[in-house]
Every structure is written in structure tokens, then in C-alpha cells.
Amino acid sequence: MSLRNHQSLRANMTGYAFISPFIVGFLAFTLIPMFISLYLSFTSYNLFTPPKWIGLGNFEKMFTSDPKYWNSIRVTFTYVLVGVPLRLVFALFVAMILNTKSRMVGTYRTMYYLPSIIGGSVAVSIMWRNIFSNDGIVNSLLSALGATPVKWFGDPNASLTMLITLSVWQFGSSMLIFLAGLKNISVEMYEASSVDGASPVRKFFSITLPLLSPIILFNLIMQTISAFMTFVPAYVISKGEGGPMDGTMLHSLYLFRQAFMFSNMGYAAAMAWVMLIMIAILTAILFLTSKYWVFYETEKGR
């Protein structure tokens, strides 16, 4: 072996050594478990006995004889279709406010980002439950304003609204990404539009939104996937029951209950794969429709 080949081999082995932790972790904790769960989705498995092959039995039960599953799908899609747009709108609104020259703007950005860091934690979910309790801050404010207090934990629609409000509150990561996009929009474009007499609303719809559309697409996809995987808030707020009347029974919570409370691991694995397929289809739809509403500065970006 020549010296050059030896040095090349040594450099390659060094590179493989550096990336080996990721490769091992990906195989051990992602790829192999995915194939195992795919196999289990076609079996009846309760953790205590060997898996028994039942073919499409889990999927047949899911689609034909489990009304709670369809309710979890309805609740999850309501949560996603309402919560994600509200979160993105609020994130963009705050990003535009923070895209100004201010001495304290760095502090403000940090404060607004904090909910995204701690928003999915158990402590914050407990805090949210206390805020919306019968004698919590929200009902106290409603009483002070002369409105009727809401039974947040007695009405399924009110409970889901509470969950959606918590998801909107966790807008910090999207806000920072929007803020980075706003920083990249040339000031000259706004100045030129001002010379032409464009109003702030016209500037927003003619300049800001088109140039931010690729970032809106990215945030929309990432936040949609994240919303489908929401678990901790629903579990803590409903105390693991998904109540009232299954009003907060998100798909992830129902999957957890089937797997670890009822020991239906095969059924839970089938549910996980169906949700994966749903997320993949929605993501594909967003990508396919993006050519109609996402603007790129060059034709090559399309």
C-alpha cells in the first residue's frame, strides 16, 4: 500500500470514528426500532407473551370497530388545524414587533423564546392546569369582567381550547425563525415602496409575505409534525384520561394508553404507523401545493 493510500485510509477511518456514535445511535434507537414496530403492528402483543401474527387485524379493528380511535383522530386534527395556524400568525406578529431597533430587544427576544424551551414540560402543564382551574386566574378575570366563568375541565370543547391556547403560547422557535427571515429582507425594498406611496398593509402583503413564504412553509411543516406528536400537555392536563368525554384524547395519548395501560402493544404500533403515514401525506401535500404560494427569488429555487 502506497503512502498516499495509507493516509487516505487513515483519514477515512478517522471520519468514520467521529460519526460512529451517530450511526450506532441511529441504528439502535431509530431504524431498528422502526422495523420492529412495523412487525409488531401486524401482531397481537401484550409485553408478557410472544407476539402472535394476526395480519391486518389491528388495522381492521382501528378503522371499523374502535370509535375512540376515530375520536382521537378528530381531536388531533382539530388541535393541529386550529393550533398551528394560530401559533404561526402569533409568532409572525411578535417577530415583526421585535424586528425593530431597541436597546432591550435582545431581552425581549429571550423572554418570548422561553415558553418554547419550557412549554412542553410537566411543570408548565401543571401550571396551565392551575391557571384554568375553577378558581384560577382565567376564571377570576372573567368574573371580574362580569362574564360567566368557564368549566374548563367539564366541557370537552373548552378543554381542547385550553390545550390549543397552550400550543399557541409556545411560539418562540417559530418567532425566531421568522425574525431571521425578516432580517434578510432588504430595507431598500420597503423604502422604494414608500416612495411609491404603498401603505403598511400593502407592504406586508406585497413584500413581507412573499419573501417570507419559504420560511412560512418550513415553519408550517415543522410545527405540524410537532403538533401531531404532542403528548405531555394532554397527559398532564387530563391526568392521563383524555377527558372530559375524551375531549383532549389526542392520538399520541390514546396510543400511550393502548400501549402502556391496556398492554396492546401491537395495536399501538399499528396506530403509530398510521399516524406516520398521515403526517407523510400532509407533508407531501404541503410540498406539492407550495409551488402555488411559495415565492423564490430565482426560478432555480422552484
Side-chain angles (χ1 to χ4, degrees), residues 73-93:
I73 292 294
R74 179 188 63 80
V75 172
T76 301
F77 271 84
T78 302
Y79 176 82
V80 173
L81 295 178
V82 176
V84 171
L86 286 177
R87 183 192 298 189
L88 294 183
V89 168
F90 196 58
L92 179 57
F93 174 73

Side-chain angles (χ1 to χ4, degrees), residues 68 71-73 75-76 163 234 238 240-243 246-255 257:
K68 281 184 173 288
N71 177 73
S72 71
I73 292 294
V75 172
T76 301
L163 271 183
S238 69
E241 299 293 330
D246 295 332
T248 58
M249 185 66 77
L250 296 181
H251 185 274
S252 58
L253 179 57
Y254 188 54
L255 188 155
R257 288 173 60 83

Side-chain angles (χ1 to χ4, degrees), residues 30-217:
T30 302
L31 192 61
I32 294 176
M34 283 184 64
F35 282 109
I36 293 175
S37 70
L38 180 60
Y39 166 73
L40 292 178
S41 67
F42 297 99
T43 67
S44 175
Y45 180 47
N46 62 5
L47 290 177
F48 304 105
T49 58
K52 180 182 178 181
W53 184 267
I54 60 172
L56 298 176
N58 287 324
F59 299 94
E60 182 179 356
K61 174 185 175 182
M62 191 184 311
F63 295 127
T64 61
S65 60
D66 188 358
K68 281 184 173 288
Y69 171 77
W70 285 107
N71 177 73
S72 71
I73 292 294
R74 179 188 63 80
V75 172
T76 301
F77 271 84
T78 302
Y79 176 82
V80 173
L81 295 178
V82 176
V84 171
L86 286 177
R87 183 192 298 189
L88 294 183
V89 168
F90 196 58
L92 179 57
F93 174 73
V94 175
M96 293 185 67
I97 293 176
L98 295 180
N99 189 33
T100 56
K101 295 181 180 179
S102 173
R103 184 176 300 178
M104 298 292 293
V105 69
T107 303
Y108 295 148
R109 291 172 186 171
T110 303
M111 292 172 59
Y112 281 117
Y113 184 63
L114 283 177
S116 292
I117 299 177
I118 62 177
S121 68
V122 174
V124 171
S125 299
I126 294 175
M127 179 194 72
W128 213 254
R129 182 179 177 85
N130 292 332
I131 289 175
F132 285 88
S133 62
N134 291 335
D135 56 350
I137 297 175
V138 174
N139 277 341
S140 298
L141 290 174
L142 290 176
S143 298
L145 295 173
T148 303
V150 179
K151 294 183 178 179
W152 298 99
F153 300 99
D155 184 349
N157 293 326
S159 298
L160 184 57
T161 300
M162 179 174 52
L163 271 183
I164 293 174
T165 304
L166 176 56
S167 73
V168 174
W169 184 65
Q170 304 168 36
F171 65 89
S173 59
S174 300
M175 179 269 294
L176 286 182
I177 297 173
F178 279 136
L179 185 59
L182 290 171
K183 293 290 185 183
N184 286 327
I185 298 178
S186 175
V187 179
E188 286 76 9
M189 299 188 69
Y190 291 109
E191 294 175 347
S193 63
S194 296
V195 173
D196 292 336
S199 65
V201 175
R202 182 63 181 272
K203 292 178 184 178
F204 176 75
F205 285 102
S206 298
I207 299 177
T208 305
L209 275 186
L211 294 181
L212 275 183
S213 56
I215 297 176
I216 294 174
L217 174 65

